[in-house]
Amino acid sequence: NGGILREDDLAQIPVPIEREPLAGRFGRDQLFTMPLPAAGRTLVELLNIHRSLPRELRDIDTPDGAVCLAKAIQQALIDRNDRPIDPNLYPQVTDKQMLDRRYAREVARRIAPIRTSGETTHLSVMDADGNAVALTQSIENVYGSCAASPQLGFLYNNYMSAFNYTDPSHPYYLRPNAVPWASVAPTIVFRHERPWLAIGSPGSERIPPAILQVLLRLRESSPLAAVDAPRIHCSLQGVVSAEASRIPTDVLDALEAAGFELNRREPYSFYMGCVQMVMADGDRLVGVADPRRDGAAAGPASAPAKLAPAE
């Protein structure tokens, strides 16, 4: 169509690589998420840190719990930023530290307070045969490259902006056949060895924290309430974005007292991701679309026996 890409350019694209999913634990359930170069390891590290916190600090809706959540998100993003690994160049390398529960316990001890008194789309699907799919597709920035195919009607991505351009030794430096790192973390949780939950989100580096907060709230809340609940995010620089008007004042005060710069966002902020999930709940399939962006939940109302039972 007059563009710069030719057929021989497309012929050089390697065959898609099938990778083993990254395994983790969510309470008593087993979780599988996206391996490198995606951000599943960030989500697993966050879950490991959270489960290593004292029980009284695990409620993310309390002041101390919110401070611990922000510190955990910041540390996990620092770890990810400090440990870029290209699995195509070094398939034998795994990030043992980010996945190590002993390291998570160290982080949990460090972040526990001392007491003196982009544009991305996610699809979650379950079917009648017990199959589950969590699929995240990204064109990087909102509207990607801001150019669309007039014949095919889709937007071209600008994912080359995710490469490193300054350090030739960097695993994600732009080179032939290079793969950029990604923030996606599509995840499937198994209960009793059967799919129980498919979940994911757009939102760049906010993706793992958004999924984490929904997973944690699912322990006490309905799927809709867990997705609807207010969220926070902590940047590498220690700036906490918060849907402030929906968060108790004492929680916000505690974050500021802990040294975080507070960025107050709107009640249902586009910035905070858009979690899309489907869950097998007894004889029902429950789908939830995040109200923060466009999305919808649809499908049959009953779950087949092959799916995970409710607990």
Side-chain angles (χ1 to χ4, degrees), residues 18 43 47 95 122 129 141 143 161 192 199 207 220 229 239 244 250 254 288 310:
E18 184 173 327
L43 177 61
L47 285 167
D95 192 339
H122 180 82
D129 294 318
N141 290 348
Y143 294 109
S161 64
H192 306 303
I199 189 170
I207 291 173
E220 304 293 338
V239 177
D250 58 346
V288 177

Side-chain angles (χ1 to χ4, degrees), residues 60-248:
I60 59 178
D61 293 316
T62 64
D64 285 344
V67 170
C68 287
L69 174 62
K71 289 182 177 180
I73 294 170
Q74 183 183 27
Q75 184 61 54
L77 292 179
I78 289 173
D79 290 341
R80 180 184 180 226
N81 191 66
D82 287 346
R83 296 169 177 81
I85 299 171
D86 185 344
N88 291 333
L89 294 179
Y90 305 102
Q92 76 280 13
V93 176
T94 58
D95 192 339
K96 295 181 180 179
Q97 178 162 311
M98 286 187 70
L99 305 177
D100 190 342
R101 293 183 183 178
R102 290 173 298 180
Y103 174 68
R105 288 193 290 269
E106 292 176 10
V107 174
R109 284 194 295 269
R110 190 164 68 243
I111 67 176
I114 300 174
R115 299 178 180 274
T116 57
S117 55
E119 179 63 2
T120 303
T121 303
H122 180 82
L123 179 70
S124 294
V125 179
M126 285 186 176
D127 71 7
D129 294 318
N131 298 303
V133 173
L135 172 66
T136 310
Q137 189 274 340
S138 179
I139 57 173
E140 186 64 349
N141 290 348
V142 175
Y143 294 109
S145 62
C146 296
S149 165
Q151 287 81 23
L152 302 177
F154 62 84
L155 288 163
Y156 292 108
N157 71 67
N158 68 328
Y159 225 99
M160 289 182 70
S161 64
F163 283 105
N164 179 284
Y165 290 90
T166 60
D167 181 6
S169 65
H170 196 285
Y172 299 116
Y173 183 75
L174 182 62
R175 58 173 64 87
N177 293 322
V179 177
W181 65 356
S183 296
V184 299
T187 299
I188 298 175
V189 181
F190 281 66
R191 175 166 288 176
H192 306 303
E193 300 184 352
R194 287 180 287 182
W196 170 62
L197 175 71
I199 189 170
S201 176
S204 190
E205 67 176 18
R206 279 91 59 197
I207 291 173
I211 296 172
L212 170 74
Q213 290 169 77
V214 172
L215 287 175
L216 296 178
R217 288 195 167 98
L218 277 174
R219 292 169 170 167
E220 304 293 338
S221 305
S222 69
L224 179 59
V227 171
D228 184 81
R231 294 181 198 144
I232 69 170
H233 174 72
C234 183
S235 72
L236 283 166
Q237 294 74 30
V239 177
V240 171
S241 297
E243 295 174 334
S245 65
R246 304 174 61 216
I247 296 175

